[in-house]
Amino acid sequence: MKTRQIIAMGGGGFSMEPDNLQLDRYVLAQVPKETPKICFIPTASGDADNYVERFYAAFRTLPCTPCHLSLFQPNFADLRSYVLEQDILYVGGGNTWNMLVLWKEWGLDRILEEAYEQGIVLCGLSAGSICWFEEGVTDPLNAPLYKLHGLGLLKGSHCPHYDGENKRRPAYHDMILRGDIQAGYAADDGAALHFKEGRLHGVVGSRMNAKAYVVERDGEAVIERTLQTTWLG
């Protein structure tokens, strides 16, 4: 039976680092095939054309067979079979709340859980990393950060862009201190948390100083434990 894997990036990959595809190469390397099938799911961006084009521009330079899944202009005959024939499902960034609502309407949330159980590698950045956890910190445009519930394939909470957006760290700390959100994992831009069978297997980075952390409450304080990160450079 295939190992269940999730790779949650705080930020990075082709969309944030088009000249540094280390994280994307790492994702592809988790499938023991010469040309794994990878499907980009850009729901959180509203299936933005430019985002999809950048995905193809990057992954056509890598050893894989890329495709994408559009819910706004459906490009499949049967959603379940289209998803389950892939080796990797790569979820893009954008509005996490809208993405999860749309996934539920289409039944894609349940199909992604089925894909996970079958050993299809799940990955993504920002909205595409928050979604796999029980809870996450998201930031609507020009509004306070808030908690939302993800698919719950991974225990605890998650905060991406930990070093890239200055509101993230203090908001996450405040939520944990108040008990509004569970303890969990934070990841800088360029850092990726790799889970196997629901347990943290390791952390990799496309930037030399990118880090990931376990963040939890200790009495009346919040503590961060820096995780060892393997630089892919």
Side-chain angles (χ1 to χ4, degrees):
M1 185 164 175
K2 291 182 179 178
T3 303
R4 297 180 301 171
Q5 298 187 76
I6 295 176
I7 301 170
M9 309 176 199
F14 76 93
S15 61
M16 292 183 68
E17 300 179 292
D19 298 321
N20 179 7
L21 301 181
Q22 304 272 19
L23 291 180
D24 300 322
R25 290 181 185 277
Y26 180 81
V27 168
L28 292 174
Q30 305 317 308
V31 178
K33 292 184 178 180
E34 285 189 15
T35 53
K37 292 186 285 187
I38 182 167
C39 181
F40 181 49
I41 305 178
T43 316
S45 69
D47 291 352
D49 289 342
N50 177 262
Y51 203 4
V52 175
E53 288 163 6
R54 283 185 288 148
F55 165 75
Y56 282 113
F59 279 87
R60 281 175 178 150
T61 70
L62 301 174
C64 63
T65 303
C67 69
H68 76 284
L69 171 67
S70 176
L71 297 181
F72 290 84
Q73 297 180 2
N75 59 339
F76 49 85
D78 180 86
L79 178 59
R80 180 175 176 273
S81 60
Y82 187 81
V83 171
L84 296 182
E85 70 183 11
Q86 308 300 328
D87 297 306
I88 301 166
L89 300 168
Y90 191 131
V91 179
N95 188 305
T96 316
W97 180 273
N98 287 350
M99 176 184 77
L100 291 169
V101 168
L102 202 55
W103 282 3
K104 188 172 184 179
E105 286 297 314
W106 279 86
L108 182 55
D109 54 345
R110 295 189 302 276
I111 296 169
L112 289 169
E113 291 173 17
E114 191 176 351
Y116 179 60
E117 293 299 329
Q118 290 187 16
I120 295 171
V121 177
L122 307 179
C123 72
L125 76 157
S126 195
S129 61
I130 293 170
C131 64
W132 312 120
F133 290 81
E134 290 178 311
E135 299 172 341
V137 179
T138 191
D139 60 334
L141 195 63
N142 300 320
L145 280 78
Y146 65 91
K147 178 188 83 173
L148 53 70
H149 294 281
L151 299 181
L153 301 180
L154 296 173
K155 298 292 186 184
S157 66
H158 176 53
C159 181
H161 302 304
Y162 206 50
D163 67 335
E165 298 176 7
N166 58 17
K167 293 180 182 177
R168 291 275 180 170
R169 189 180 239 118
Y172 194 37
H173 281 212
D174 287 346
M175 289 179 187
I176 290 175
L177 195 58
R178 292 196 307 265
D180 293 342
I181 198 170
Q182 300 178 65
Y185 297 91
D188 291 343
D189 290 339
L193 298 146
H194 186 177
F195 293 86
K196 291 186 176 182
E197 297 297 338
R199 295 177 178 274
L200 185 64
H201 170 69
V203 180
V204 295
S206 59
R207 306 177 187 181
M208 188 176 289
N209 297 319
K211 296 275 189 291
Y213 310 85
V214 171
V215 187
E216 54 196 349
R217 181 176 173 175
D218 182 14
E220 295 304 311
V222 171
I223 58 172
E224 289 181 355
R225 178 161 51 87
T226 304
L227 297 166
Q228 184 175 351
T229 303
T230 301
W231 181 46
L232 297 171

